[in-house]
Amino acid sequence: MKKIFLLIALFGFKGGFAQNSSCTTNPIYRQFDFWIGEWDVYGIKGRKAGDSKISLILDSCIILEEWTSSNPQTGVIYAGKSFNTYNAVTKQWQQTWVDNVGGTTEFLEGKFENNTMRFFTKPFSFSKDTMAIRKLSFFNLGQDKVRQLGEISKDNGNTWATEYDLEYRRRKKG
């Protein structure tokens, strides 16, 4: 047993062995880089919703979001993080969201097409007799603007209702 731990310590452990250091050279890992930066985020009516810092971590394999809302809800400043990566095994982009109120959402199916990154959850139980799917879309609107649209479907993707619609505006330096 000690030999196994020693080998891991000496040679490093690549989680699942599926992804490697090609994250910096394989262009598929750079499809979502348009979201990297520091952003002021606004709701659809132009009201400041929060701040978001998006950065590359872990040898450029993960895009990390660090979100903080502008306005307290029930006395709490809502905050969360998302981890975004391309999964070389499933050939899908994926996002895992976690927050400071115990929420977690896994978008395990994602694809970049037509300058838009789009994620989907697996079907989940929304209520006693309703299954739902969430869709999360990021529209690249140029160097200084990204639209994030969160939607939910309770009829297997036939129709979608907006849960939130946000505009990310790149924070000006200086």
Side-chain angles (χ1 to χ4, degrees):
M1 189 67 146
K2 287 182 182 179
K3 288 181 184 180
I4 292 173
F5 288 119
L6 181 60
L7 287 173
I8 289 171
L10 287 174
F11 298 107
F13 178 72
K14 304 277 188 194
F17 298 98
Q19 297 183 6
N20 58 37
S21 62
S22 70
C23 300
T24 55
T25 57
N26 185 337
I28 201 157
Y29 286 91
R30 306 285 53 95
Q31 291 176 330
F32 203 15
D33 283 4
F34 66 86
W35 195 34
I36 295 170
E38 293 191 27
W39 305 89
D40 295 312
V41 185
Y42 294 86
I44 198 161
K45 295 181 180 178
R47 184 174 175 203
K48 179 100 183 251
D51 298 292
S52 193
K53 179 181 175 187
I54 316 299
S55 53
L56 279 174
I57 62 170
L58 299 176
D59 298 325
S60 300
C61 290
I62 307 293
I63 296 175
L64 169 69
E65 175 186 24
E66 299 174 87
W67 166 266
T68 305
S69 65
S70 292
N71 305 302
Q73 295 178 353
T74 63
V76 174
I77 296 288
Y78 182 69
K81 296 184 188 302
S82 71
F83 300 86
N84 306 265
T85 191
Y86 181 76
N87 185 323
V89 173
T90 64
K91 301 198 181 321
Q92 297 278 324
W93 274 89
Q94 57 190 48
Q95 181 187 94
T96 300
W97 168 263
V98 293
D99 61 37
N100 65 334
V101 294
T104 301
T105 306
E106 288 187 307
F107 296 90
L108 297 178
E109 297 176 8
K111 192 175 200 179
F112 181 74
E113 281 184 324
N114 301 319
N115 224 17
T116 301
M117 181 63 72
R118 190 162 282 127
F119 295 100
F120 293 89
T121 64
K122 299 285 186 192
F124 62 93
S125 180
F126 183 79
S127 63
K128 182 179 176 185
D129 44 358
T130 303
M131 295 297 285
I133 304 167
R134 283 202 163 91
K135 175 170 54 170
L136 181 59
S137 303
F138 294 85
F139 303 90
N140 182 359
L141 303 177
Q143 184 176 349
D144 295 325
K145 195 181 290 185
V146 173
R147 178 182 179 207
Q148 179 184 33
L149 178 62
E151 300 171 280
I152 191 167
S153 175
K154 298 174 190 167
D155 60 7
N156 203 30
N158 291 318
T159 60
W160 295 93
T162 298
E163 291 188 298
Y164 51 91
D165 194 348
L166 302 171
E167 182 178 278
Y168 284 62
R169 299 176 191 165
R170 189 173 305 279
R171 187 167 293 138
K172 303 295 181 203
K173 295 181 180 182

